[in-house]
Amino acid sequence: MKRVVVGLSGGVDSSVSAYLLQQEGYEVIGLFMRNWHDESVTLSNDCPWIDDSNDALLVAEHLGIPFQVLDLSKEYKERIVDYMFAEYEAGRTPNPDVLCNREIKFDVFLKAALDLGADYVATGHYCRKTTTEDGVHHLLAGLDPNKDQSYFLCQLSQEQLSKALFPIGNLQKAEVRAIAKEIGLVTADKKDSQGLCFVGKISLPEFLQQKLQVKHGNIVEINEDEDQFKAYASIPVDLNHVVELSKEFIYSPGMGTEVEKHIGAHYYTIGQRKGLHIGGRPNPSFVIGIDTETNTVYSGQKDEHPGLNKWALKIETSEMHWVNPLYEMNIGDERTFSIRIRYRQPLQKGILTRLESGFYILFDQKQRGIAPGQFAALYLNEELVGSGIISH
């Protein structure tokens, strides 16, 4: 009998995953990951890791499976929290959930599971895995279009996928809740967790203020008829000009008008609208640039502002990752993909090309809020074949 360790989070998805594996005849063990000890930055009762741990225990008891709590807070701090701080400090936008899957669930947690004699680990992600005769593991989108979570797994390797099971990837969320109700699980009606992977709902500015000091600075509004935007608009939109089309806009405080103060450029992200507190402008304001060196945040009015919308992006060669190695590219290659540059974004058509200076994506339509530090995930039909960290 094959042994599976399920990451029981105390939510309905992982609970039903454990049940389904049991029904399939696996020997199932439930493991709860405790990744966080600091309650001071979580929003009122919204980091109930104790509640979640208790719910996970109740589910394990209900299903009659062994249950353990695994404290991974040291690894989580080193690999996820420190990375978040460093990225924000550099004026980039990290994606801790993608890293959490690569570094915690399918690395530290996976190793702990293998130490327990597991053949596989399973999670409650809405995605699917198939394995073809050539031994290649394929990561597919979940069948529920509103819940597909394949994006969060875009950094997994073949080795990690070989040990992974995703029991609910073929189901709709409503079906998962119905199964939980039918078998009497306490998590059947539990709300989906929000916020940071395993930490809960956090107040990001307060969280970042633990380590990144408040540094007052200016928000400078850049007009949309700035010369560099006109120059950008005159570049032909084709692969021959993809390097130019991917370049970052360069701002300096003298280019615009000071419209507000801020508490630290490192607390903001490209495309952000909420929390700017800019009043008295005719239209809504958005963050179009962040400079942590001069501690300046640049804003623009309206989400079609030319500083917020680009045709192309760059991924450094070293930051490109192939989930399916069959799609690796040589210099000069180009291939059309469906692309997502943030979770829940509808898929966008674009061409990926590999040049000597890195990988570049030219989109069919301008993309709003391309944020350095985020992941661009590449899909062919239902399969997520690779991803890369956006450089600019």
Side-chain angles (χ1 to χ4, degrees), residues 238-253:
D238 59 38
L239 273 181
N240 294 330
H241 295 84
V242 72
V243 175
E244 289 169 80
L245 291 166
S246 75
K247 282 202 171 129
E248 287 179 282
F249 295 118
I250 306 297
Y251 307 115
S252 63

Side-chain angles (χ1 to χ4, degrees), residues 5-292:
V5 169
V6 179
L8 279 184
S9 65
V12 67
D13 299 328
S14 60
S15 307
V16 170
S17 297
Y19 168 73
L20 293 173
L21 290 166
Q22 221 182 9
Q23 295 303 297
E24 285 177 42
Y26 288 100
E27 179 198 346
V28 179
I29 296 172
L31 217 53
F32 178 86
M33 284 175 262
R34 184 175 182 197
N35 290 346
W36 198 244
H37 292 287
D38 183 358
E39 318 285 274
S40 64
V41 291
T42 52
L43 297 178
S44 61
N45 309 321
D46 246 336
C47 180
W49 81 264
I50 295 170
D51 297 350
D52 287 341
S53 173
N54 287 340
D55 287 344
L57 172 62
L58 289 170
V59 166
E61 285 178 346
H62 188 86
L63 297 176
I65 61 174
F67 176 75
Q68 290 183 24
V69 174
L70 190 62
D71 193 324
L72 300 179
S73 50
K74 178 175 171 285
E75 292 88 344
Y76 191 85
K77 184 191 173 301
E78 286 168 2
R79 298 198 193 190
I80 310 301
V81 177
D82 290 351
Y83 147 81
M84 273 181 70
F85 282 133
E87 287 287 273
Y88 276 110
E89 200 162 21
R92 289 155 63 91
T93 306
N95 193 314
D97 290 309
V98 172
L99 260 280
C100 183
N101 285 311
R102 186 183 83 188
E103 299 287 333
I104 302 295
K105 285 184 204 160
F106 292 95
D107 186 23
V108 184
F109 179 78
L110 173 59
K111 285 177 181 136
L114 296 176
D115 287 345
L116 291 172
D119 297 287
Y120 299 103
V121 294
T123 62
H125 281 105
Y126 285 85
C127 61
R128 295 168 294 150
K129 178 186 94 169
T130 58
T131 305
T132 39
E133 282 178 9
D134 54 7
V136 175
H137 305 288
H138 305 268
L139 177 63
L140 309 180
L143 285 187
D144 184 336
N146 295 314
K147 291 299 295 180
D148 168 38
Q149 291 171 313
S150 55
Y151 177 84
F152 291 133
L153 302 169
C154 68
Q155 286 277 296
L156 293 196
S157 66
Q158 284 289 300
E159 180 60 29
Q160 289 170 313
L161 273 179
S162 73
K163 303 286 186 201
L165 296 177
F166 306 111
I168 60 169
N170 294 311
L171 300 175
Q172 305 289 312
K173 181 76 185 200
E175 294 176 289
V176 171
R177 288 210 184 274
I179 291 169
K181 242 194 190 95
E182 193 185 314
I183 61 170
L185 293 178
V186 294
T187 52
D189 295 316
K190 192 171 175 180
K191 282 211 320 234
D192 287 354
S193 63
Q194 296 282 311
L196 193 56
C197 173
F198 290 119
V199 173
K201 208 165 180 179
I202 58 168
S203 162
L204 197 57
E206 281 177 40
F207 184 67
L208 294 174
Q209 277 168 32
Q210 292 186 314
K211 192 143 174 192
L212 306 181
Q213 297 304 308
V214 168
K215 274 166 68 178
H216 293 280
N218 297 328
I219 300 179
V220 175
E221 182 177 289
I222 304 291
N223 205 308
E224 52 190 83
D225 57 13
E226 171 66 36
D227 286 348
Q228 63 182 319
F229 301 144
K230 291 177 187 161
Y232 187 84
S234 70
I235 302 169
V237 181
D238 59 38
L239 273 181
N240 294 330
H241 295 84
V242 72
V243 175
E244 289 169 80
L245 291 166
S246 75
K247 282 202 171 129
E248 287 179 282
F249 295 118
I250 306 297
Y251 307 115
S252 63
M255 277 181 188
T257 315
E258 188 190 316
V259 288
E260 189 50 81
K261 299 282 186 200
H262 64 72
I263 57 165
H266 41 252
Y267 298 141
Y268 297 86
T269 57
I270 302 287
Q272 180 176 337
R273 177 180 170 181
K274 289 189 175 128
L276 286 179
H277 310 300
I278 298 173
R281 314 309 290 160
N283 301 292
S285 293
F286 296 84
V287 175
I288 64 168
I290 297 157
D291 186 342
T292 53

